Amino acid sequence: MLAHINGNFKGKDIVSLRQFDPHSLQKLFTLASEMSSLAKKAKGSNLLHGTITTLLFYEPSSRTFGSFSAAIKRLGGQTVDIINPQVFSSVSKGESFEDTIRVFESYSNALVIRHPEKGAALKAADIAAFVPVINAGDGIGEHPTQALLDLYTIYEKFHHLDNLIGVFAGDMLNGRTVKSLLRGLSHYKGITAYLLSPKALQLAKEDYNDFAASGITLIQIEKEEDIPKNAHFWYWTRVQKERFSSLADYEKVKNKFILSKRLLSAYGNKDLILMHPLPRVGEIETDVDEDKRALYLRSQVRNGMYVRMALLALVLGKIK
Ligand code: ASP
């Protein structure tokens, strides 16, 4: 069972944006902003001194892994880094998932897990009885810390999270970051999400119904001409190649919608922000990077570290 945060993060597993509420998100954002000032001071902090967090990554990751690692170290904590345990550890000898979680739980104060299967983080949270588990991406399921940093980035710009219009482009079916972000936005009123993708990459029916029931106005579009000119943010994503069983199917749908200077001048507005969870693989042209509205290689990345610093400090009970 997943606990709701309700303003108290201590000891709680962080598996889904369903667990959040506006008050808890606000608390996290306030602390993330303090973390950004702290990270700029050369001295750093010892808030997580004496704690060990295991980073258990069953799936490739460079930025999420690096962001967690940097966040922990900036607060004086330590990490045990387990990358690809299915290849390099006892998992390759046939150890069960349960046993692996139990072993690393006993070394650590918290477990951060990334896994290719949807639901694996929840399963790990159920197994680990003594330490909090943080989902760093479970297959096509969710990626809560990405959504938290995305929400914080939007909040930093607009100072509110209600009454927003967002354009999401790319892979709605397999992309976990879109789902987590929509789940986060569903806690606020007046959200309209335009979902721009080929038919084959539209949200699964179950997710569509879930978001629609949560109060978000969802508008599925298949042509760039339907992009609204009054959006607050564009959230571009890559087509998730690793979720396709056939390369030919991937080739058919990849990069149908490319964010270019032309697209931006046709449908963008001056206050818009451009976001992407990264890595990008051709769906945003590199000459868009210099545009002031492009945050994906700027504050969006930095905010990831600040939000993870704040989240770890709260979950580990170092800040109330
Ligand atoms: N880094 C993000 C994720 O792990 C986005 C992506 O891989 O496309 O889901």
Side-chain angles (χ1 to χ4, degrees), residues 206-275:
E206 183 195 348
D207 288 321
Y208 182 95
N209 291 342
D210 189 16
F211 294 128
S214 73
I216 298 183
T217 303
L218 294 173
I219 304 173
Q220 303 195 107
I221 56 176
E222 291 169 58
K223 300 193 297 291
E224 65 173 54
E225 298 78 61
D226 294 330
I227 296 176
K229 292 194 177 156
N230 57 346
H232 294 87
F233 64 89
W234 287 5
Y235 192 88
W236 238 253
T237 65
R238 94 188 148 90
V239 175
Q240 308 280 300
K241 186 177 180 183
E242 65 276 34
R243 312 291 174 214
F244 285 74
S245 45
S246 124
L247 195 59
D249 287 348
Y250 165 71
E251 297 289 342
K252 267 188 244 156
V253 289
K254 75 164 195 204
N255 291 356
K256 284 276 183 247
F257 301 103
I258 296 186
L259 204 174
S260 62
K261 278 186 157 173
R262 182 198 58 77
L263 196 78
L264 200 48
S265 57
Y267 304 101
N269 62 64
K270 69 173 186 10
D271 293 321
L272 177 70
I273 56 172
L274 306 175
M275 299 167 71

Side-chain angles (χ1 to χ4, degrees), residues 40 48 127 301 304:
K40 283 171 198 141
L48 295 187
I127 296 164
V301 177

Side-chain angles (χ1 to χ4, degrees), residues 71-88:
I72 292 162
K73 285 163 187 153
R74 281 197 182 266
L75 293 179
Q78 288 181 296
T79 61
V80 170
D81 302 342
I82 307 294
I83 302 172
N84 284 338
Q86 63 276 44
V87 181
F88 296 114

Side-chain angles (χ1 to χ4, degrees), residues 89-269:
S89 79
S90 295
V91 175
S92 67
K93 302 178 192 162
E95 185 179 61
S96 70
F97 183 69
E98 282 74 5
D99 288 3
T100 305
I101 298 299
R102 289 213 173 97
V103 168
F104 289 102
E105 175 185 23
S106 47
Y107 298 157
S108 341
N109 302 89
L111 274 180
V112 175
I113 182 169
R114 167 166 292 192
H115 198 280
E117 274 166 40
K118 180 178 174 180
L122 180 58
K123 197 167 158 196
D126 285 341
I127 296 164
F130 306 107
V131 306
V133 170
I134 299 178
N135 181 5
D138 63 321
I140 65 165
E142 280 209 43
H143 193 344
T145 58
Q146 177 71 46
L148 294 172
L149 77 91
D150 293 337
L151 290 167
Y152 178 57
T153 303
I154 300 169
Y155 178 77
E156 228 184 8
K157 162 78 185 180
F158 298 105
H159 308 292
H160 62 90
L161 286 170
D162 44 13
N163 301 315
L164 292 173
I165 300 172
V167 174
F168 295 79
D171 193 344
M172 308 298 121
L173 180 68
N174 304 300
R176 53 193 173 201
T177 66
V178 168
K179 283 173 235 164
S180 268
L181 181 50
L182 284 173
R183 225 149 249 144
L185 288 168
S186 74
H187 298 302
Y188 299 87
K189 292 202 174 24
I191 302 296
T192 303
Y194 286 79
L195 310 175
L196 173 64
S197 71
K199 240 197 180 59
L201 297 180
Q202 286 179 345
L203 282 177
K205 191 110 209 90
E206 183 195 348
D207 288 321
Y208 182 95
N209 291 342
D210 189 16
F211 294 128
S214 73
I216 298 183
T217 303
L218 294 173
I219 304 173
Q220 303 195 107
I221 56 176
E222 291 169 58
K223 300 193 297 291
E224 65 173 54
E225 298 78 61
D226 294 330
I227 296 176
K229 292 194 177 156
N230 57 346
H232 294 87
F233 64 89
W234 287 5
Y235 192 88
W236 238 253
T237 65
R238 94 188 148 90
V239 175
Q240 308 280 300
K241 186 177 180 183
E242 65 276 34
R243 312 291 174 214
F244 285 74
S245 45
S246 124
L247 195 59
D249 287 348
Y250 165 71
E251 297 289 342
K252 267 188 244 156
V253 289
K254 75 164 195 204
N255 291 356
K256 284 276 183 247
F257 301 103
I258 296 186
L259 204 174
S260 62
K261 278 186 157 173
R262 182 198 58 77
L263 196 78
L264 200 48
S265 57
Y267 304 101
N269 62 64

